[in-house]
Amino acid sequence: MSSTKATFSAKQAAQILGVSLATLYAYVSHGLLVSMVADVKRSKTYAQDEVLRLAARNADSRRAGHTAQATIDWGVPILESRISLIADGKLRYRGHDVVQLAQNASLEQAALLLWDQPKRNYFEIAPPATPHYWNALNTALANQSALNRAMSMLAALAPSEAGTTTEATGTGAQLMRMLASALLGTPILDLALHQQLAQAWQLPAQTAQAVRAALVICADHELNVSTFAVRCVISSGAELSAALSAGLAALSGPKHGGESLRVGRFLREALALPDSQLHDYLQLCLQQALPHHGFSSGLPGFGHPLYPGGDPRGKFLLSLLPEQDQARFQQLQALASALSGQQPNLDFGLAALEYCFALPLGAAQIIFALGRSAGWIAHAAEQIEYGQLIRPRARYVGNFEFTD
């Protein structure tokens, strides 16, 4: 296989960057780009990935200075990352289309890809020795929600059990196993993560494969609120378990991972109605709904600002539903999309899996949290590598009639 990198000519690079050739050459002289001699005529070429990276940085700078000045919703602040990309209606983990990856990969394989450690399988290491207090905590917190129980149990870890900030990926596999135990209220097991969910929920093999795929689909989604929380906490030098707890806290909110609970209630109400009443019910939901965390449809589980053409994750999860449920969900999806102008998103897909496979209530949120922990660890490791404290500045817009 050839290792030659794709390149742009000077003219192509300048067009993509939206600059003149003189400015392109200035970029080279200032070290922002590296030019290469292409042929005997000494014409210059530029690596495609470097040109596209610089174009993305320039676009973000323009956006930060103009259209996104008044808000950070779906805009600035910008952190550079090599982990995942949302573009052209697709989500990619380090260049791999997540829908294709989810066809066969396990969450462990997706995690190693996100961690950029494909040749170091940390999951082959035996699970950590169960802390003496672990099972007692699981029992004492049995009546708590899965996320609250997991946050409490991670907070109880000693520093030696929690993982230091210098070995995020090394201890990440162990912490994911402990997180699965805490979310499910079960012992720490030496099983694949999707098999741990399948065992706890007593799932048949076909359903376990759907859960496996859903975990992979949830593993990362760029700089969402929980991932940003993880990066902020780990940038302070805190332990990895503390950063994961911060991610869980952010995920628990109704505008993030808690949305799957709202969608689940919406689905159960909608699907309990006869066909003749479904249209009126959806119209009523639209009339009563207020704009929900930036999503324009108002219908729970529909629309996503980063996927104007439809969330590929939601579409993929719906394709995993049993055949006997496809017709009913297609009817609901088609009617809701016609009324709202939006397509199902990840939350809808997770709630649909929970409903159709008769998973325990709240299972969608557990799948989301356990899957997303792989991405949190990837971002924690990347932030540690950068070595910088995340400390944005505020633009003061208050009273300028000072008293001093």
Side-chain angles (χ1 to χ4, degrees), residues 102-155:
Q103 302 285 347
N104 299 296
S106 65
L107 178 58
E108 289 85 346
Q109 291 169 324
L112 294 171
L113 174 63
L114 289 166
W115 301 348
D116 201 22
Q117 300 281 352
K119 295 182 180 179
R120 297 187 64 181
N121 189 354
Y122 295 109
F123 293 94
E124 289 181 344
I125 302 171
T130 302
H132 67 278
Y133 54 82
W134 192 257
N135 292 334
L137 271 178
N138 245 332
T139 301
L141 297 168
N143 292 328
Q144 293 289 318
S145 70
L147 265 61
N148 284 343
R149 181 170 58 247
M151 283 186 279
S152 299
M153 295 180 71
L154 288 179

Side-chain angles (χ1 to χ4, degrees), residues 364-376:
Q365 193 177 41
I366 291 176
I367 292 171
F368 196 165
L370 183 57
R372 186 56 54 87
S373 68
W376 290 341

Side-chain angles (χ1 to χ4, degrees), residues 14-37:
Q15 287 177 337
I16 289 170
L17 293 167
V19 300
S20 65
L21 288 174
T23 301
L24 179 71
Y25 302 146
Y27 284 161
V28 175
S29 65
H30 287 88
L32 298 175
L33 275 178
V34 176
S35 61
M36 298 168 284
V37 178

Side-chain angles (χ1 to χ4, degrees), residues 193-215:
L193 292 165
H194 71 275
Q195 291 175 346
Q196 293 189 41
L197 271 63
Q199 178 172 294
W201 296 336
Q202 299 181 331
L203 304 180
Q206 181 181 1
T207 305
Q209 287 304 308
V211 169
R212 173 199 57 75
L215 287 168

